[in-house]
Amino acid sequence: MADQETIQQVEELKKYKYGFETEIETEKAPKGLNEDIIRFISARKNEPEWMLEWRLEAYRLWKQMEEPHHWANVEYEPIDYQDLYYYAAPKQQKKPKSLDEIDPRILETYEKLGIPLKEQMVLAGVEGAPKVAVDAVFDSVSVATTFREELEKAGVIFCPISEAIQKYPDLVRKYLGSVVPQGDNFFAALNSAVFTDGSFVYVPKGVRCPMELSTYFRINEKKTGQFERTLIIVDEGGYVSYLEGCTAPMRDEHQLHAAVVELIAEKDAEIKYSTVQNWYPGDEEGRGGVYNFVTKRADCRGDNSKVSWTQVETGSAITWKYPSCLLRGDNSVGEFYSIAISNNAQQVDSGTKMVHLGRNTKSRIISKGISAGKSQNTYRGLVSVHRKAHGARNFTQCDSLLIGEKCGAHTVPYIQAKTPHAKVEHEATTSKIAEDQLFYLRARGIPEEEAVALIVNGFVREVIQKLPMEFMAETQKLIGISLEGSVG
Amino acid sequence: MLLEVKDLRAVVRPEEDEGEAKEIIKGLSLSLDRGEVHAIMGPNGSGKSTLSHVLAGKPGYEVTSGEALFDGEDLLGLEPEERAAKGLFLAMQYPVEIPGVPYMQFLKVALNSQRKLRGEDELSTPDFMRLVREKAQALGISMDMLKRPVNVGFSGGEKKRMEVLQMAVLEPKLCVLDEIDSGLDIDALKVVADGVNALRGPERGFLVITHYQRLLNYIEPDHVHIMANGRIIRSGGPELAHELEREGYAAFVEDAA
């Protein structure tokens, strides 16, 4: 009896720690995708005519496109796009004025997700709490935005993109799709047609955003595709650091997550974009996990601008993601720091594209891939130096760590240099956790799984240190959790 | 009795499809009490390092018969981390590098894991720092050293000195030193030996495994055992080490055969 209980408890532990769902009545559009559904979404959100037209144009482009699964190192059953819901919103009479008015079950959900204590203090309005603004996306509609006033004082706009479409149509029309056009790729086109919400940030000239901006995305409705759209614009000399973290509840069916993130850095502007991605990875066979097909791209439009992507990818059944930088301004800088962990049957095909267009542009890529179980982990990266990009420099370092015998690590670098006045460096290593490393730690009293977590955290240390402080400890824990069951 | 090994037999588990298991420990008995220092000496291939690995629970070996009691409890059924938590420490011949993990973090995780396994409270960061600072100072180890990743780029002497620091921090009941003298010049050897001697006390036992008598000039044992072909062929007092130094292993091994 007691044994049975123990076995059960162990089994429970093996399950995804965030596998729960909240029951909140939702309002759904019917299943499937056609122009009427897009009109429905657009009408629900009271969008202006130009926005609807923009969506319809994307939809028409999408219909002519083919799903791109031939080149990425991932395998999955074809998705039936007519069998998905494209709109679900928590039922609400009117917008809440404060967090007290938020459904306590939603707040409880964030509690379970382990939103850092500091941010909970912020949410609770504790005196002296660090300044982290949380724009919480619950399913597809933003339900809570804090610190709006303080941001407004600084002149920073941080709001749901649906609101920005109403309030700041000129900014949205100018920038939306200017980095990732509607027809850029299959999933970006789909997103452009049906996105329901996401975040919008505008930092005006010469303003350093006074706080870290943080958003938590979550999928919470059966068979609901999640199509966020994020648009961040930093005007001349401005600075913003944006954090995005997500985890999703347990599911039987595959869930499609096709977000688009566009960043625009004008002259002398700097954007730091950090992601901790912890979507449900599926069971040990990969059943039920999230498909994370994301297009993230930054346009370093102005001279001396800088964009830094930092990502920690631990979740999803399949990840297909290449946060990129178009280095158009002279002396502009693009950085990509990545930790991608795959366990069990997870498949990761991720990397970056650094496109050097301006003179003396610099890019730096540090990628740390960890594969365990029978997962496949691919780094795919493009460094492209165009004809006029005199003095361009790139440094790429790809390190892979293998745990066990059945997983795979792959590195696929594409390097194109069209000027002789450029310097491109690529370094790659592949290693395994050695038995004697594990034994050394265990002989000092550290249990096997913690020993693996310690070794892996050492391996990714360089990238962890690029994360904002409040994410570091949490991320180190997350790395341990994602590798549970990978040894022994 | 702190450590009691009775008629122990152990084999190296072969890799898949690689023939039979090879017996390395062939009926070894040993009793070691608190406060005692025992030395095991033996030629290469006598199985003395294997003995230390089997005691610490290194994977890859299988005990086929006999037993080992630690503080009266069965040792061989425990995981390596449980053995460590109970107070067994193996100072390794080749301390392993763990890139990216600062020594300080490693020490803290190790100490607190052991405490957790023993059901004790974890040590707070300030208390831990105080403890490490004090122990490091006594061994002449700079705090900068503790900020570096575990054993990465350390000299042979530094690695061994850090093993002694681990002992000082973790305070085990039994320290098994597996050829702690290998790769050390005479100065480094003195430093390490001084560190070990400072840890000697009525509650702690040491099992010093070495190839050369030289180490025993610095760490003086109460008992000396000569090991050959998987078992102890002779035991005696410190004078046995000198006898061995004069006559070489061959004489002893032939006698035993």
Side-chain angles (χ1 to χ4, degrees), chain B residues 95-163:
Chain B
V96 178
E97 295 183 2
I98 319 277
V101 178
Y103 218 103
M104 190 70 96
Q105 186 191 357
F106 157 66
L107 272 182
K108 184 161 183 252
V109 172
L111 180 62
N112 279 333
S113 296
Q114 290 200 8
R115 292 178 71 103
K116 220 159 86 184
L117 286 170
R118 289 195 293 261
E120 299 165 10
D121 286 339
E122 293 186 15
L123 217 57
S124 72
T125 303
D127 286 348
F128 171 76
M129 295 294 287
R130 213 168 295 132
L131 175 73
V132 172
R133 199 168 292 135
E134 179 201 319
K135 305 285 186 188
Q137 211 161 26
L139 286 162
I141 291 166
S142 74
M143 294 307 276
D144 281 347
M145 191 87 178
L146 289 159
K147 290 179 189 152
R148 292 169 56 186
V150 177
N151 292 323
V152 177
F154 288 14
S155 71
E158 284 171 334
K159 284 181 186 170
K160 296 297 168 72
R161 207 191 308 177
M162 296 303 265
E163 294 283 292

Side-chain angles (χ1 to χ4, degrees), chain A residues 71-199:
Chain A
W71 53 267
N73 188 18
V74 298
E75 272 176 37
Y76 58 94
E77 293 290 312
I79 298 165
D80 183 354
Y81 292 92
Q82 296 306 332
D83 194 38
L84 294 173
Y85 290 101
Y86 290 89
Y87 184 78
K91 267 191 183 165
Q92 255 178 7
Q93 301 306 317
K94 55 183 192 311
K95 293 232 163 186
K97 288 192 182 63
S98 75
L99 285 170
D100 298 342
E101 293 174 32
I102 302 287
D103 188 324
R105 276 175 300 178
I106 293 179
L107 295 176
E108 209 178 294
T109 302
Y110 289 119
E111 185 93 26
K112 281 195 232 168
L113 282 172
I115 286 185
L117 196 67
K118 279 179 194 164
E119 272 147 71
Q120 285 189 21
M121 279 159 63
V122 170
L123 288 168
V126 175
E127 195 75 29
K131 289 180 176 138
V132 179
V134 179
D135 175 11
V137 173
F138 193 83
D139 258 12
S140 314
V141 175
S142 295
V143 289
T145 301
T146 51
F147 281 112
R148 287 279 283 279
E149 278 180 29
E150 187 157 348
L151 288 170
E152 270 167 27
K153 233 186 273 170
V156 175
I157 302 169
F158 178 36
C159 68
I161 199 162
S162 54
E163 193 180 315
I165 290 165
Q166 311 283 345
K167 282 193 179 165
Y168 315 101
D170 294 345
L171 280 174
V172 175
R173 282 186 89 162
K174 180 174 172 194
Y175 289 106
L176 186 73
S178 72
V179 186
V180 180
Q182 289 130 299
D184 185 81
N185 68 70
F186 184 83
F187 295 110
L190 180 64
N191 174 287
S192 300
V194 302
F195 75 87
T196 42
D197 224 329
S199 295

Side-chain angles (χ1 to χ4, degrees), chain A residues 330-397:
Chain A
D330 288 349
N331 312 311
S332 59
V333 177
E335 293 177 334
F336 176 73
Y337 299 102
S338 170
I339 299 169
I341 300 178
S342 56
N343 195 358
N344 297 318
Q346 282 178 281
Q347 305 176 65
V348 179
D349 196 297
S350 183
T352 184
K353 288 190 274 187
M354 292 292 175
V355 182
H356 292 258
L357 298 164
R359 285 167 174 266
N360 300 316
T361 46
K362 283 198 203 79
S363 62
R364 187 176 167 82
I365 299 169
I366 309 287
S367 164
K368 303 275 182 179
I370 298 116
S371 338
K374 51 184 179 179
S375 66
Q376 295 296 326
N377 201 324
T378 303
Y379 167 82
R380 188 183 303 278
L382 168 74
V383 176
S384 172
V385 182
H386 284 237
R387 206 166 43 81
K388 289 180 179 164
H390 287 234
R393 291 191 62 169
N394 159 266
F395 175 75
T396 300
Q397 188 186 324

